[in-house]
Amino acid sequence: MTHSETAAADLIARARKDGRTALTEADGKALLASFGIDAPRSAVAATADDAARLAGEMRAPFVVKVVSPDILHKSDAGGVALGLEDAGAVAAAIGEMAAKPAISAAHVEGWLIEEMAPQGREVVIGGLRDPQFGPMLMVGLGGIFVEILKDVSFRICPIDAEAARDMLSELKGHALLEGARGEAAVDEEALVRVMLALGGENGLLTTLQDEVAELDLNPVIVSGSGATAVDARVILSDGAAPAPLSHPATGPREAFRPLFEPRSVAVLGASREDVAIANTFIRRLRDFGFAGNIYPIHPKAETIEGLTAYPSIEAAPEVIDYAYIAVGARRIPGIIEAAKGRLHVAQVISSGFGEVEEGRALQAELVEKARAAGVRVLGPNCLGTYSPRGGLTFPSNAPKEAGNIGIVSQSGGLSTDIIKRGQWRGLRLSGLATLGNSADVQPHELVEYYFDDPQTRAVGLYIEDIREGRAFFDLLRTHPRAKPVVVLKGGRTAQGQQAAASHTGALAGDDKAWDALAAQLPVVLVSTLDEFIDALLALQHFELRPAKPTREVTLFGNGGGSSVLGTDAFAGVGLDVTPFTGKALEALDAMGLPPGTSVLNPIDTPVATLQEKEGWIAGEILDHVLEHARPDAVAMHLNLAAFVGRGSVDPIGNLFTVIEQALEKWPGVAHVALALRSDGSPELDQTRREYRDRARAVGLPIFDEIAPMARALSIVGHMERRLAARDKT
């Protein structure tokens, strides 16, 4: 144990021995000092006379604060006096404070006298232990910025210096630190050092995460020459954070190979009367082309769905890779227990477990018996697993073609939407598993499987709660092959904590940890299923370029108003559609395109222009853009309705060949995406669907509108920047 850890442990042990739930301010500042954080010189006096004597040994002006375990917010009680010029003023201030009702009624242990900090900008730095993700750090500007505007930034600990600087740059009032309106700039690096002392790899919050529930340094005064913590409030935890579930040591590829590539499947819950969901599962499995053996399990039936049935899993003629279980909830723990050594993975479709109060004990029993039997359990209260490579499905008519997007979902019904809506959008999956209650197998375990899976390029996650957020964060932060993760988070608007003991706690709403996760790592949060599919569609087709993150975009299409609105859409998500200059503009001007065409960027090409040279003109335009402008992305958009009845040439059909050739000629220069806009008529919607199939063959994502395309490209840029930052560490 280091000296700072020993000093911190002694302070906390003494506070707990005295029955305190928080450190005194003096002890809080001593704790900060043990981690290298400056605080004003101070001392605690028992009486006004003692305070006057101590003040005589210090440098004026002074601050006096009441020390009482009954008073957490000293200013509200009238227990703070500032700018006291001498020892007499200190004694007089204590006399006035002692007479205030809130203080006279409290148990007062003494009076803190300290030298006032130098003038500077007030900053609030805090920390808390998030129940899902562990220690988090917050920073914000003081005064109205934190009290009213809630101008704060959060990160999950540990952070590094770059993350600390990012947090400061996110503040709306950041310009005040840089010296706005003629004021001197402050020492931001001094703030960074304080933030690292709290939230860095060996910082206070990470070292003492089991001891400290919340912490506020409010304010920290930062000037041009340093940063000083003027006030310190440290609230102790009730005890150590709950230990995460202990998972088997088997690696994810080995543990979940029987799930995504099963050689044998047992089905429990199928009926001879042909009415159960398990019967439907067997039929869909066979229609999908599952190549392994299917074993219906039934205590009495000889055959089900034309297949030989067996009375139990252990009676089946071979070890079962995957069991689909849809029987009464109370029977399931015993079934799992009896299958010891004969079953690898079970997916419990049945409900009646932890999602209802009366089922929580049964869910705990299920997990206990599964662990004893060496069986991994998905669910309960879920719908199934879809794996094209393994011939496994639960929706009907799902794509048999395997893709490169892996999905983990806590919702079964929404998973069907992801598969089917994604199918029509051109999205193809390497796998999808529903987890329901996540009693045993946790979301991060399957994310790790996809990280290790060479067939998977990116991961989509629908989640409502996560019990092992810390393990998820550490996986994303440290896995050597971490991939982009798109999170569709359910329950984001749940009302947060109603009352908190500190500013940090009050400002850390339910979703701040998820927002911090996305700010730190190659993760993005989305709000709708359409946005989820759009993001994954882009990640399916694009090879990410951390060395050249997407920011500069060329917008190319037909429809002047659409181009203007599109430019606004890209600007709104932080991407630039900057007019061309130099060789790019010269080359495009030299093409002599028909009147009404604009080549400044956006490139606005009427239908007549795109029909030039039977549609191959788009290839020439694209060549000049990629050769001379070399944008990070080319976002093309076409209004399908504008081409109806405009001649026999299909420039859109030729466009796919044009794009394929351009990508081959200029590899790695730009991502290319296309928005095909329909008027909503059945004819044009069908045309767009047909074009999507052609686009997927050449690696081109198709979007319904320009704005969703812009958002998807901004997500790609975010992933590239976060991967680049991660690669530096």
Side-chain angles (χ1 to χ4, degrees):
M1 186 177 287
T2 66
H3 173 72
S4 62
E5 290 172 336
T6 301
D10 290 343
L11 286 167
I12 291 170
R14 186 167 67 244
R16 292 195 185 280
K17 182 179 179 181
D18 293 341
R20 298 180 183 276
T21 59
L23 299 185
T24 65
E25 184 172 347
D27 283 351
K29 289 179 176 175
L31 181 67
L32 298 183
S34 70
F35 283 88
I37 299 172
D38 291 336
R41 184 183 175 192
S42 63
V44 176
T47 66
D49 289 342
D50 287 340
R53 178 181 56 78
L54 290 169
E57 301 171 359
M58 299 166 67
R59 185 185 71 248
F62 304 106
V63 177
V64 173
K65 302 175 184 178
V66 65
V67 178
S68 170
D70 301 332
I71 302 173
L72 189 59
H73 300 287
K74 294 179 284 292
S75 296
D76 294 346
V80 178
L82 306 174
L84 305 173
E85 295 296 336
D86 52 34
V90 167
I94 290 174
E96 292 177 8
M97 283 188 213
K100 293 184 181 293
I103 295 175
S104 62
H107 171 61
V108 175
E109 296 179 338
W111 309 91
L112 179 70
I113 301 93
E114 63 183 17
E115 297 174 351
M116 281 194 68
Q119 293 292 313
R121 179 71 60 185
E122 289 191 4
V123 175
V124 178
I125 304 178
L128 58 84
R129 189 174 76 184
D130 182 82
Q132 294 182 339
F133 291 95
M136 291 180 60
L137 183 73
M138 181 201 81
V139 67
L141 296 187
I144 64 168
F145 290 94
V146 68
E147 296 287 350
I148 299 174
L149 302 180
K150 294 181 173 56
D151 183 18
V152 294
S153 177
F154 282 86
R155 291 292 187 276
I156 302 169
C157 302
I159 64 164
D160 57 18
E162 182 178 357
R165 296 184 190 104
D166 285 345
M167 292 175 73
L168 294 174
S169 68
E170 286 176 8
L171 300 177
K172 299 180 182 68
H174 178 244
L176 296 174
L177 300 178
E178 297 177 310
R181 293 184 175 272
E183 294 185 13
V186 305
D187 184 357
E188 288 193 42
E189 287 305 303
L191 274 180
V192 169
R193 290 192 291 273
V194 173
M195 293 164 71
L196 291 176
L198 289 177
E201 194 73 47
N202 299 305
L204 187 157
L205 293 170
T206 48
T207 302
L208 302 176
Q209 59 183 288
D210 287 339
E211 300 286 357
V212 175
E214 294 183 23
L215 175 147
D216 268 327
L217 309 187
N218 184 17
V220 173
I221 303 296
V222 57
S223 64
S225 58
T228 302
V230 173
D231 197 0
R233 183 180 302 128
V234 181
I235 300 167
L236 302 179
S237 68
D238 294 333
L245 292 171
S246 60
H247 299 294
T250 309
R253 289 287 301 283
E254 182 181 349
F256 298 115
R257 192 277 312 159
L259 173 66
F260 291 103
E261 300 176 67
R263 292 183 286 260
S264 55
V265 172
V267 182
L268 288 75
S271 166
R272 287 175 294 187
E273 283 75 31
D274 182 25
V275 294
I277 187 175
N279 293 81
T280 301
F281 175 70
I282 292 174
R283 293 178 180 185
R284 289 179 179 175
L285 200 59
R286 296 168 81 176
D287 290 344
F288 198 62
F290 177 67
N293 295 317
I294 304 172
Y295 300 107
I297 305 298
H298 193 283
K300 297 178 182 179
E302 293 184 1
T303 62
I304 290 178
E305 297 290 335
L307 299 169
T308 301
Y310 296 86
S312 63
I313 290 174
E314 56 271 28
E318 64 178 306
V319 173
I320 301 299
D321 274 344
Y322 171 81
Y324 178 96
I325 302 178
V327 300
R330 296 201 171 276
R331 296 171 50 197
I332 296 174
I335 289 171
I336 298 293
E337 182 179 38
K340 183 175 183 179
R342 301 286 296 170
L343 174 62
H344 291 128
V345 177
Q347 187 146 32
V348 178
I349 310 305
S350 312
S351 58
F353 289 91
E355 74 279 4
V356 293
E357 181 70 31
E358 58 270 23
R360 292 180 181 175
L362 186 63
Q363 180 163 301
E365 180 187 356
L366 171 64
V367 173
E368 179 184 354
K369 291 187 173 178
R371 293 295 168 87
V375 176
R376 298 310 308 272
V377 174
L378 280 75
N381 188 32
C382 58
L383 208 52
T385 292
Y386 165 68
S387 177
R389 73 183 106 173
L392 195 64
T393 189
F394 61 94
S396 63
N397 300 316
K400 296 181 180 181
E401 177 188 357
N404 58 23
I405 301 298
I407 304 289
V408 183
S409 175
Q410 287 185 320
S411 167
L414 191 70
S415 295
T416 301
D417 289 340
I418 293 169
I419 295 169
K420 297 302 294 180
R421 291 175 67 172
Q423 176 181 3
W424 301 122
R425 293 288 313 280
L427 189 66
R428 295 296 182 268
L429 307 182
S430 59
L432 179 151
T434 64
L435 289 182
N437 298 356
S438 304
D440 174 31
V441 174
Q442 299 298 303
H444 76 272
E445 292 186 88
L446 292 179
V447 171
E448 185 175 9
Y449 168 84
Y450 287 131
F451 281 1
D452 288 340
D453 174 30
Q455 187 169 316
T456 300
R457 175 177 285 184
V459 180
L461 178 62
Y462 173 76
I463 196 161
E464 294 167 4
D465 62 79
I466 188 166
R467 283 186 295 158
E468 297 194 19
R470 189 71 203 180
F472 182 45
F473 172 73
D474 288 339
L475 173 69
L476 295 168
R477 187 171 67 96
T478 64
H479 195 285
R481 294 174 298 279
K483 299 169 183 177
V485 178
V486 179
V487 178
L488 178 57
K489 176 70 169 62
R492 294 198 71 185
T493 59
Q495 189 167 351
Q497 192 174 7
Q498 290 298 305
S502 71
H503 288 289
T504 304
L507 291 163
D510 290 336
D511 246 11
K512 289 297 184 184
W514 287 97
D515 291 335
L517 189 80
Q520 290 171 261
L521 297 165
V523 175
V524 69
L525 296 180
V526 296
S527 302
T528 68
L529 180 56
D530 284 335
E531 194 177 12
F532 185 69
I533 292 173
D534 285 337
L536 293 173
L537 192 63
L539 294 170
Q540 169 179 282
H541 290 298
F542 295 155
E543 191 72 42
L544 297 185
R545 304 184 309 251
K548 189 176 184 281
T550 299
R551 187 175 299 278
E552 294 290 336
V553 177
T554 293
L555 187 58
F556 172 15
N558 70 314
S562 298
S563 295
V564 173
L565 292 173
T567 302
D568 290 341
F570 278 94
V573 294
L575 299 178
D576 297 329
V577 179
T578 305
F580 296 136
T581 57
K583 291 184 178 179
L585 184 58
E586 291 172 7
L588 291 168
D589 274 337
M591 291 180 68
L593 295 172
T597 304
S598 171
V599 295
L600 286 175
N601 194 24
I603 300 173
D604 186 20
T605 49
V607 170
T609 300
L610 290 175
Q611 289 179 319
E612 291 270 317
K613 302 181 182 180
E614 297 187 337
W616 300 108
I617 192 71
E620 296 180 28
I621 295 172
L622 203 52
D623 264 351
H624 289 315
V625 168
L626 294 175
E627 180 180 7
H628 300 298
R630 302 185 74 83
D632 302 318
V634 176
M636 306 181 74
H637 64 97
L638 297 173
N639 181 0
L640 294 173
F643 291 87
V644 175
R646 298 290 294 273
S648 58
V649 174
D650 179 13
I652 302 174
N654 290 339
L655 183 63
F656 300 118
T657 303
V658 162
I659 292 172
E660 185 176 23
Q661 292 173 347
L663 292 174
E664 290 175 355
K665 184 177 180 180
W666 305 101
V669 172
H671 303 308
V672 179
L674 174 62
L676 286 180
R677 301 170 56 239
S678 165
D679 60 7
S681 66
E683 295 80 12
L684 286 187
D685 283 351
Q686 178 58 32
T687 298
R688 179 164 59 186
R689 181 173 293 180
E690 292 168 0
Y691 282 142
R692 278 201 174 106
D693 289 337
R694 296 185 60 181
R696 183 162 50 85
V698 301
L700 178 68
I702 300 289
F703 300 90
D704 290 345
E705 287 288 348
I706 300 174
M709 176 170 60
R711 171 62 173 147
L713 284 169
S714 75
I715 287 171
V716 168
H718 168 80
M719 297 296 192
E720 291 168 333
R721 287 188 294 276
R722 295 325 308 164
L723 286 170
R726 187 181 181 280
D727 291 344
K728 291 179 183 177
T729 60

